[in-house]
Amino acid sequence: MKSRKNQLPEQMTAIRQHEPGGALKIEKIAVPHPGPGEVLVEMEASPVNPSDLALLAGGYLERSYPFTPGLEGSGIVVEAGSGLFPRLRLGKRVACSPDQGGDGTWADYMKTSAMKTAPLPKHISPEQGSMMLVNPMTAMAFIQLAREEKHRAMVNNAAASSLGKMLIRLTKSQGIPLINIVRREEQVDALKKLGAVHVLNSTSETFAAELKQLAEELDATLILDAVTGSQSSILLDAAPRGSKLIAYARLSGDPILANPGALIKEEKEIVGFQLGNWLHSKGVLFKLRFINSVKRQLDGELSSTISRTYPLESAEEAIAQYREHMSDGKIILKIGSY
Amino acid sequence: MKSRKNQLPEQMTAIRQHEPGGALKIEKIAVPHPGPGEVLVEMEASPVNPSDLALLAGGYLERSYPFTPGLEGSGIVVEAGSGLFPRLRLGKRVACSPDQGGDGTWADYMKTSAMKTAPLPKHISPEQGSMMLVNPMTAMAFIQLAREEKHRAMVNNAAASSLGKMLIRLTKSQGIPLINIVRREEQVDALKKLGAVHVLNSTSETFAAELKQLAEELDATLILDAVTGSQSSILLDAAPRGSKLIAYARLSGDPILANPGALIKEEKEIVGFQLGNWLHSKGVLFKLRFINSVKRQLDGELSSTISRTYPLESAEEAIAQYREHMSDGKIILKIGSY
């Protein structure tokens, strides 16, 4: 076990949840130490993502309680467990995510597999770097999926989110038509200024009819559904024959609703998407190329706008702010004193 | 145009529906005549199937109104349009189904494509023959699907239906474990007497837990869902990682409900199944082999128990009886005076 610091503290501040849906507590817990193949990251920054909200609500990923939330972040590797890979990371600024079922990034330190870290280019700030793994890779995965399955156009119903804005930029540069769905009229103009061509407001009375017409015109057979609930049913009914709906978050908090007729007579299907599962299905070479391609676009198509930062201790407030103003930009927890 | 009879009547009795969900009317309408590639079948028998209920409720298949229901039946080809194929069918007893969007089997005569008819072996009665196309082919299609996608075991939640009983016999002879779900305790024993090994009662308090344990033990990753509504969600949550739910009817009348977590974190998916769509995706040789294999098993694994017959004019009563006693056996409309 190699350490960059002679003295790591014995205790650290961590945000902890004790039951699904329970309040977040600020606690002092022991600093963990890395085992074989693992590293200890001194955390610098971590965003609040929709997947964090799902995780905190419970039912999104298997886990035991209490645990530390936070599904991605950035920081400096300050201690390495045995193995070449951990040692190569020592002293590096990395983007990082927790091991499956492991404690997360909302703490002074996180222990994770060295495989779950990726060195950050020098010109990328800790804040931008903290958002490299979830949204940019998910956006790129959706583009990859559309290509692999030969979908001519896509629909996304969380168009004003950070991920939504990345998709607007990516589909524009890749020439894939995207139907953007928002919930407020001012978002229509905001997204059009960003370069979006097709923006529909789901609160409009003519929404379902407009969506149906546009989806047929563009042959938009890949539907990215971050909302679920009754909107899944509207999206499926409006989609052309043979469409695939990918549920990737549940911002409504409601289960998926689907008219069996749409599936039975029009050969539509519903699948889930989780970045870890998707990457797991790919080979090592694909993953390396994929991550490098994400890194290259981090300060371009795949950058995120930061609306506000909060200290780690204000995680509850940060989450409340994020829930209310999700489309204003990312909320970042700044950790430690870098 | 060749006709077996010198004199076909000008008018016939037909059951007609004038709007989705509307009442069935007994009407006198003109006897149609076959065009190129078509035949006229003098109907003898037609079953009431779950797909008829879905069709009558609306939203299952596209169609214009008024129309004649009835998605399969048997009868004698009494008139042939131009073409070799129609002429070869003249005078034969056939199983038949209507063309997409065309008038159905609940009438004295049905005009349909010769391609939508299959000659019946001599030893098969008009009643058994009238049930050849929907249930036997659907049951065989599910077995085929399980093989193609390498599912080790299956779940069916309409286990006491005719299709369910065929699946019990077929999976037994094919060595594929099947978890049968019923809604009444007496059905548990009835199906076990038929040879079913695993039968669960969905009204039991321990149903979800029992299903989960059994599905994991057997690795039952193919779920046949004829009920939908909240039961879809229970089935999906209980299913092993990577399972596929196939919606093939909606006996509950409710939309599919699904927990996005099951799809997102456990890579489960939901698709629809409609026999016509499925067959359409297969080659001609496969179809011929498939139909012959169905015919060979019509008086064995793929036979149906008939609980009662009604004259065509009592279609409403026949449907009411079927809804109430679906698991007692098939209800057959007897047409004409054969």
Side-chain angles (χ1 to χ4, degrees), chain A residues 225-244:
Chain A
D225 181 6
V227 178
T228 71
S230 58
Q231 189 159 121
S232 304
S233 163
I234 296 168
L235 294 175
L236 276 166
D237 288 345
R241 189 181 182 89
S243 288
K244 175 183 261 188

Side-chain angles (χ1 to χ4, degrees), chain A residues 5 45-46 56 61 65 76 90 98 111 115 122 131 157 190 207 214 247 279 288 302 311:
Chain A
K5 290 190 169 173
S46 176
L56 291 171
L61 292 168
Y65 291 84
I76 310 283
L90 197 61
K111 180 185 79 166
M115 297 290 294
K122 287 220 173 0
M131 299 179 288
N157 66 356
F207 169 64
L214 196 53
L279 276 174
L288 283 176
L302 297 176

Side-chain angles (χ1 to χ4, degrees), chain A residues 5 7-12 29-33 42 108-109:
Chain A
K5 290 190 169 173
Q7 266 327 100
L8 283 172
E10 286 186 8
Q11 297 271 304
M12 66 176 185
I29 60 172
V31 172
H33 292 286
E42 184 172 353
D108 290 338
Y109 297 88

Side-chain angles (χ1 to χ4, degrees), chain B residues 11 15 25 44 46 127 129 160 165 179-180 185 208 239 244 272:
Chain B
Q11 297 271 302
I15 304 297
K25 304 202 167 154
E44 295 183 320
S46 175
E127 289 88 346
K165 288 167 187 162
I179 301 174
N180 296 281
E185 203 52 36
K244 174 183 262 188

Side-chain angles (χ1 to χ4, degrees), chain A residues 7-132:
Chain A
Q7 266 327 100
L8 283 172
E10 286 186 8
Q11 297 271 304
M12 66 176 185
T13 301
I15 304 299
R16 305 283 282 176
Q17 191 188 43
H18 287 253
E19 58 186 353
L24 298 185
K25 302 202 167 154
I26 303 163
E27 295 179 4
K28 288 280 174 194
I29 60 172
V31 172
H33 292 286
E38 295 178 335
V39 294
L40 184 71
V41 182
E42 184 172 353
M43 297 304 304
E44 294 183 320
S46 176
V48 181
N49 284 320
S51 47
D52 291 308
L53 304 187
L55 182 69
L56 291 171
Y60 174 64
L61 292 168
E62 312 277 351
R63 65 172 55 250
S64 55
Y65 291 84
F67 82 104
T68 305
L71 290 170
E72 68 172 336
S74 64
I76 310 283
V77 175
V78 292
E79 195 175 52
S82 61
L84 175 65
F85 203 40
R87 282 205 301 279
L88 284 173
R89 291 280 186 264
L90 197 61
K92 297 262 180 8
R93 171 166 283 141
V94 294
C96 54
S97 59
D99 286 317
Q100 197 157 5
D103 282 329
T105 56
W106 296 1
D108 290 338
Y109 297 88
M110 176 178 70
K111 180 185 79 166
T112 191
S113 299
M115 297 290 294
K116 294 275 188 176
T117 67
L120 284 172
K122 287 220 173 0
H123 66 282
I124 299 293
S125 71
E127 288 88 346
Q128 278 294 336
S130 77
M131 299 179 288
M132 180 180 127

Side-chain angles (χ1 to χ4, degrees), chain B residues 311-327:
Chain B
L312 178 62
E313 289 76 4
S314 306
E316 281 271 26
E317 203 187 328
I319 288 173
Q321 173 75 13
Y322 181 61
R323 274 190 210 280
E324 290 301 303
H325 308 278
M326 213 174 276
S327 53

Side-chain angles (χ1 to χ4, degrees), chain B residues 288-299:
Chain B
L288 282 177
R289 273 203 314 268
F290 186 76
I291 289 172
N292 281 330
S293 157
V294 169
K295 275 190 198 170
R296 275 196 307 275
Q297 298 174 83
L298 260 193
D299 52 358

